């Protein structure tokens, strides 16, 4: 349903618990979810675009839509340092993205 729940795990042996830190309602099917930087920001790639999520603020910082004419995003891969990524779409189009600026290049 596009909901991403971020949980905090309490590792106390006597009373282990899961606490929901925040929830994000994202549009489209979630394809990729990964940490973007050390500032508690995460990248969520959905079938319709890219979200930057901020766990400190418990809200999406930005949304960058994928061009509609490319079709929906089906797969996504990024380099280990997460400076760039490639999205593959339902129409067979591959697009390269600069993840530092979240722009298509």
């Amino acid at each position: 349903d596009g909901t991403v729940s971020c949980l905090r795990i309490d590792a106390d042996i006597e009373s282990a618990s899961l606490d929901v830190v925040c929830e994000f309602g994202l549009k489209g099917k979630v394809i990729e979810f990964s940490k973007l930087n050390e500032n508690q920001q995460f990248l969520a790639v959905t079938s319709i675009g890219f979200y930057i999520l901020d766990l400190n603020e418990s809200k999406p910082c930005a949304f960058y839509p994928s061009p509609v004419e490319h079709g929906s995003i089906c797969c996504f891969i990024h380099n280990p340092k997460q400076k760039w990524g490639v999205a593959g779409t339902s129409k067979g189009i591959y697009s390269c993205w600069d993840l530092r600026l979240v722009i298509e290049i």
Side-chain angles (χ1 to χ4, degrees):
D1 69 352
T3 300
V4 174
S5 297
C6 300
L7 305 173
R8 178 178 44 238
I9 299 172
D10 183 5
D12 185 7
I13 295 173
E14 294 177 15
S15 61
S17 65
L18 291 174
D19 298 322
V20 176
V21 175
C22 56
E23 287 189 339
F24 301 100
L26 307 180
K27 294 182 180 176
K29 178 182 172 187
V30 177
I31 307 296
E32 169 77 18
F33 189 82
S34 58
K35 190 167 186 174
L36 192 57
N37 56 40
E38 297 302 318
N39 296 328
Q40 292 297 85
Q41 289 185 333
F42 285 78
L43 171 70
V45 180
T46 69
S47 56
I48 62 169
F50 301 83
Y51 288 89
I52 305 298
L53 307 175
D54 189 333
L55 295 188
N56 291 329
E57 299 292 325
S58 297
K59 66 178 185 176
C61 295
F63 173 70
Y64 302 93
S66 177
V68 176
E69 60 272 10
H70 288 187
S72 61
I73 298 172
C74 299
C75 59
F76 183 80
I77 189 165
H78 56 78
N79 73 323
K81 294 186 179 182
Q82 297 183 341
K83 293 186 178 185
W84 59 266
V86 176
T89 70
S90 59
K91 292 189 176 181
I93 297 172
Y94 294 94
S95 54
C96 189
W97 290 76
D98 182 331
L99 297 178
R100 297 165 294 182
L101 304 173
V102 194
I103 57 170
E104 189 174 6
I105 51 177

